[in-house]
Amino acid sequence: MSETQFAEMATRWYDQNARDLPWREPDVGAWAILVSEIMLQQTPVVRVLPAWRAWLARWPVPAALAADTPAEAIRMWGRLGYPRRALRLRECAVALTQRHDGVVPTDLDALLALPGVGSYTARAVAAFAYGQRHPVVDTNVRRLVARAVTGLPDAGPATRPADLVATEELLPVEPARAAWASAAFMELGALVCTARGPRCGECPLAEVCAWRAAGRPAAPGPTRRPQQYAGTDRQVRGLLLAVLRETVGPVPGERLDLVWTDDVQRARALAGLVQDGLVERAGADAYTLAGDRRLI
C-alpha cells in the first residue's frame, strides 16, 4: 500500500462518516478553530460543544477576550476541566492582539510562539484553518499510524519526532488534500481505531492494517487505567473554583472551608490554585479569581 492509497482510503471514509461539528464548517475562522483545539484537549466533544459556542458568542475575536479579565475567562470555562487552559487562551488572545493585530497568524513558527499553543495545536490550526500541509498528530492519530503502518498495538505515552515524520509521510503532496487527510486520520482514530474495542470491521484500512494482519497483538505490560477523579486534588480544586466562579467579590476562607472536610488536602488544593495563577488572595483570609474586577 502506498502512502497515497492510505490517505485516499481514509478520506473516502471521512467524506461519508465525519461528524457534523461546528468548527468544521467552511466559514469558521482561525480563532474559532484555535479555541476548539484548546478546549478539546483531554475533553470530550459533547462537553466542548456548548462551551465553545458560549465562548465565541462572548468573545468572537481575540481582541474581545484580551480586553476582558482572566477571572471572566475562568468563569466562562466553567467545568470543562484543566482551567489553566482558560488562562493560556486569554494570554494567547493578548499576544494575538498585540503582535498580530488580532489575527491568528498563518505561519507555523508564529503559531508555535503563541502562549499556550504547542506543537499539536499549532499544526492543527495551520492545517484546519489555513489548509496547510502539516502532520497533525494527537493520541488518536499516533495509535492509528502505529497499528495500521507498523503493526504495533499502541504508539507509547508521548509524541516523538518520529511520529511527526511517520504521519507526514502518509499525507498527500497537495496542501489542501493533506489537511483533509489529517482530519480523516484524527476521526478514524477517535471513532473506529479506538484504544479499547476498536471496530476493525468498520475500518476502511482493515484490509491493509499491519496490526490486524498480525492478529491484533496486545500491548506488552499492564493496561493503563483511566485516571481517577473522585477524592483527588483535582476534584477539590474544582469545588473551590466553583464557589469562586459563582460568587461576586472576595470569598472568605471560612466559606471555602465548607467545600471539603480534609483540611490538609483542601489547603494544598487552594495553594495550588494560587500558585497556578487561577486564584488570588484578597486580604488576610479571602480569595478571588485571578484579576477579578467584580470586587465589592
Side-chain angles (χ1 to χ4, degrees):
M1 176 185 60
S2 70
E3 292 82 356
T4 301
Q5 289 174 317
F6 188 99
E8 287 179 351
M9 295 166 74
T11 53
R12 281 199 299 269
W13 173 89
Y14 183 70
D15 289 343
Q16 300 297 319
N17 297 279
R19 288 170 292 181
D20 183 15
L21 301 175
W23 44 82
R24 291 176 175 169
E25 295 295 325
D27 58 344
V28 170
W31 169 242
I33 291 173
L34 173 59
V35 172
S36 75
E37 290 297 340
I38 292 178
M39 285 187 169
L40 286 164
Q41 295 169 11
Q42 299 178 284
T43 309
V45 167
V46 67
R47 294 182 60 202
V48 168
L49 280 167
W52 180 84
R53 290 190 175 101
W55 192 279
L56 271 297
R58 180 165 181 175
W59 299 306
V61 295
L65 176 56
D68 217 328
T69 64
E72 289 308 301
I74 298 168
R75 283 194 174 94
M76 282 293 290
W77 197 259
R79 296 183 179 274
L80 275 183
Y82 304 100
R84 278 179 290 181
R85 291 181 293 170
L87 292 182
R88 301 292 87 79
L89 192 48
R90 183 185 173 276
E91 291 170 8
C92 181
V94 171
L96 288 171
T97 303
Q98 294 177 348
R99 303 177 198 169
H100 302 285
D101 296 323
V103 177
V104 177
T106 62
D107 178 71
L108 181 61
D109 288 337
L111 287 166
L112 287 167
L114 294 171
V117 175
S119 175
Y120 164 77
T121 303
R123 286 172 170 80
V125 172
F128 304 145
Y130 296 120
Q132 297 178 13
R133 186 182 187 275
H134 295 290
V136 183
V137 182
D138 67 353
T139 300
N140 294 319
V141 173
R142 292 174 59 245
R143 182 174 57 251
L144 176 73
V145 174
R147 287 176 176 174
V149 177
T150 66
L152 298 174
D154 203 344
T159 301
R160 305 163 300 165
D163 296 320
L164 294 173
V165 173
T167 304
E168 186 171 13
E169 290 176 348
L170 299 171
L171 297 177
V173 174
E174 200 276 316
R177 292 184 60 229
W180 198 248
S182 289
F185 295 166
M186 291 180 64
E187 196 79 336
L188 263 177
L191 300 183
V192 177
C193 192
T194 56
R196 297 176 179 82
R199 302 198 300 271
C200 295
E202 302 174 27
C203 182
L205 305 173
E207 297 304 317
V208 296
C209 176
W211 182 61
R212 186 170 181 264
R216 297 181 22 160
T223 302
R224 292 194 297 271
R225 295 181 178 180
Q227 291 183 343
Q228 297 297 316
Y229 179 74
T232 64
D233 284 6
R234 278 189 59 213
Q235 183 185 17
V236 182
R237 285 163 61 102
L239 293 171
L240 292 168
L241 278 179
V243 174
L244 291 163
R245 282 197 310 267
E246 296 161 6
T247 306
V248 176
V251 178
E254 61 186 17
R255 169 68 181 86
L256 295 176
D257 290 346
L258 300 177
V259 307
W260 198 255
T261 57
D262 186 327
D263 294 343
V264 174
Q265 187 178 23
R266 187 182 64 252
R268 182 173 64 240
L270 183 57
L273 291 172
V274 173
Q275 183 177 0
D276 289 344
L278 292 161
V279 171
E280 296 175 351
R281 288 183 177 274
D285 189 31
Y287 299 85
T288 68
L289 294 179
D292 197 349
R293 292 177 185 158
R294 307 195 313 177
L295 304 182
I296 57 174

